[in-house]
Amino acid sequence: MDLTPLYRSFRRAERNLVSPHQLLAILIYAYMNQIYSSRRIEEVCLRDIHFMYLLEGRPAPDHTTIARFRRDHFAPCAKEILSQMAKFLASVGVISFENLFVDGTKIEAVAGKYTFVWKKGVAKNRTKLMEKLYAFLAGVEKEFGIHLRRGSEIRLHHLKRLRRRLKRIQREQNIIFVYGRGKRKTVLQRTMETLDSYISRLKDYTKKLHICGDRNSFSKTDYEATFMRMKEDAMKNGQLKPAYNLQYGVEASFIVWAGVYPNPTDTQTLIPFLEDFHAHIGKRSRKLIADAGYESEENYLYLREKGQASYIKPNNYEVSKKRKWKQDIGRRENMNYLVAEDVYQCAEGRRLVVTRTRRTKSASGYVSEKTIYTCTDCNGCERKKQCIHGNHSKIPMEERTKRLEVAKVFQRERAKNLARIKSTEGIVLRMNRSIQAEGVFAQIKGAFGFRRFLTRGRANVLGETILLALAHNVFKLHQKIQSETLERHLVPLREAA
């Protein structure tokens, strides 16, 4: 592997102690043996014969050198090193970039559990502050005759300008501010102290909203960590913890690409993950296999545009097999659709016609179009309660009318995708997704025992994620060499006798 980017990040004096490739080998071997702490790695470098062999007679690095290497030297070029390993595995025929199994998991960040800042709470407090500021500025204008020219919204520079003008009044009138018990403050001093508190609060709210960005929350001790619902819930109360959404792309049980994202759901991670994969690897896998968390109209259209066949499990795949689903007369899937007239026909033979279309925008900015079908006449229908769902409407059942919302593009792409996953090839690929993608996370979280990151910041967390991937790949390569299964990319489907 070409480690030139790693060597460039070192000064010549640093390379004379322990070379970058030796430090990288030590870290990978340490992660393979469930050793993640820099102090623990320093200890084994002094005592363990295996680590001494990797050092090749060089002095053992201290924990500061190891931590600095992981954070400052490896993390910036981690993606390039992972892409080189993936290309090397492809060059020896271990992977072919034919199938890409994508899956994700959430791993806790090294941040306090109760250091949360919620975007909605900050926005609410900022709105209350603005209401106070309007009243405050009106009082200042009445008391001191200062009128501020501003737009529809009060901004920080308006308040700072007001403070300068109040300070000028203090100098002109030679007013001395007093502090301590038994001292009476002037109106000007009380006004300036109130203004200073408002400026401080507005700065704080603005900074927090800027840190949040498109997210709903962040941690005070790791600004790039987002609070997510985790599987490990010790309190059994659905407590949210600061975490990162870790994504892996797997082929033949090897991790070929990795990514770390702040959003808790997987839907919005697929497109940036695949774009990043293509930018560094230079190829696109012909087939993409993922679970129901990645299904969306935007993802379907993106994969079709890039020439990649989607094998994504639909959200309703399992529940649609149940008897209750099949016997539900209110569902679109159980109604008769007249293609020529673009009309749905319910169980009672009544027609649902197109009344309008509406557009919805997703969190990523994608706009989808939904067609609204409404029943022409639901009056007197005996099966109305079975057909119309939802018990929270204020409209009485007698006055309600059956309505359907259908995203035609999404349903068309889902039908094509469903035909693929139900084929023999699709069954094999879905089975291998469970074995390979889920097996990677079982290896990392179970066998490696990695449950929490050690570094802060998305870039450093990505470096740790890629170190885990490199360690897993070396371990899996050794395992496949021993079992002589290097050429087996997929586990075959066993048929019953």
Side-chain angles (χ1 to χ4, degrees), residues 358-383:
R358 72 182 186 95
R359 293 176 179 271
T360 58
K361 183 182 285 189
S362 66
S364 62
Y366 176 77
V367 179
S368 62
E369 188 177 272
K370 293 185 178 180
T371 306
I372 313 297
Y373 293 84
T374 309
C375 185
T376 53
D377 183 23
C378 279
N379 296 325
C381 181
E382 297 179 355
R383 305 173 75 179

Side-chain angles (χ1 to χ4, degrees), residues 45 77 151 171 185 215 220 225 245 279 336 340 343 424 449 463 474 491:
C45 283
C77 56
R171 289 194 301 267
K185 297 178 181 179
R215 299 177 295 162
K220 293 176 185 176
N245 189 354
N336 184 28
V343 168
T424 305
V474 173
V491 178

Side-chain angles (χ1 to χ4, degrees), residues 212-355:
C212 269
D214 297 331
R215 299 177 295 162
N216 295 324
S217 63
F218 72 91
S219 170
K220 293 176 185 176
T221 49
D222 186 357
Y223 288 167
E224 298 188 53
T226 308
F227 277 80
M228 306 179 186
R229 201 172 302 281
M230 309 284 287
K231 290 181 180 177
E232 297 86 2
D233 187 8
M235 302 290 289
K236 303 296 181 184
N237 59 355
Q239 180 185 2
L240 278 70
K241 295 179 183 178
Y244 289 93
N245 189 354
L246 186 154
Q247 299 284 315
Y248 276 146
V250 182
E251 185 183 359
S253 297
F254 292 97
I255 300 171
V256 295
W257 198 242
V260 172
Y261 301 92
N263 43 307
T265 56
D266 293 333
T267 311
Q268 297 175 39
T269 63
L270 184 63
I271 293 176
F273 180 85
L274 293 178
E275 284 296 312
D276 204 22
F277 173 83
H278 176 66
H280 287 83
I281 303 295
K283 295 182 180 180
R284 295 187 187 274
S285 298
R286 199 167 66 87
K287 302 167 192 170
L288 183 124
I289 306 94
D291 62 8
Y294 297 88
E295 189 192 30
S296 72
E297 182 180 320
E298 183 181 9
N299 291 344
Y300 278 143
L301 294 179
Y302 171 83
L303 292 171
R304 190 185 70 179
E305 180 189 347
K306 301 301 180 182
Q308 294 178 275
S310 63
Y311 291 81
I312 301 175
K313 189 177 181 180
N315 282 319
N316 61 355
Y317 184 72
E318 296 297 337
V319 72
S320 64
K321 298 177 183 178
K322 296 184 179 180
R323 186 187 307 167
K324 183 180 178 181
W325 175 284
K326 294 177 180 179
Q327 294 179 353
D328 189 349
I329 62 171
R331 293 203 170 274
R332 177 191 61 81
E333 292 84 356
N334 298 327
M335 293 183 183
N336 184 28
Y337 179 60
L338 307 177
V339 182
E341 302 177 48
D342 192 15
V343 168
Y344 281 94
Q345 202 170 27
C346 71
E348 290 293 312
R350 308 194 184 199
R351 295 157 65 90
L352 282 81
V353 299
V354 178
T355 52

Side-chain angles (χ1 to χ4, degrees), residues 48 172 196 264 377 496:
D48 195 305
E172 290 172 354
D196 287 341
D377 183 23

